[in-house]
Amino acid sequence: MLLLWNRRWRAAAVASGTFALTVLLGFLVLPRDAVDFWTVALRDTRRIAPSEWIVNQSFDGVIARV
């Protein structure tokens, strides 16, 4: 987003292409794990630590502690 904000179009395109290539490579090498990650694990914040832990500095963690 910062690259687009600064109008660095080529750098933004290279970064986006690199990201897309790594995702595609993940689907080619480990298709079942890639599907699991992008559909289930990415949204499951409990896989890292409970939201209430003080080390969880995400917005979700702050809301859980409040």
Side-chain angles (χ1 to χ4, degrees):
M1 191 59 97
L2 181 63
L3 294 172
L4 294 174
W5 181 264
N6 289 328
R7 296 182 178 160
R8 296 182 59 198
W9 310 118
R10 184 166 186 245
V14 169
S16 298
T18 302
F19 172 73
L21 186 63
T22 60
V23 171
L24 177 64
L25 186 63
F27 274 100
L28 292 175
V29 174
L30 298 167
R32 187 175 300 154
D33 291 337
V35 169
D36 181 51
F37 175 76
W38 288 105
T39 59
V40 178
L42 191 63
R43 287 184 247 143
D44 184 15
T45 57
R46 292 171 297 155
R47 67 188 171 87
I48 299 168
S51 295
E52 299 82 21
W53 284 15
I54 193 67
V55 295
N56 183 352
Q57 297 298 311
S58 68
F59 184 71
D60 183 48
V62 171
I63 297 300
R65 287 189 298 277
V66 170

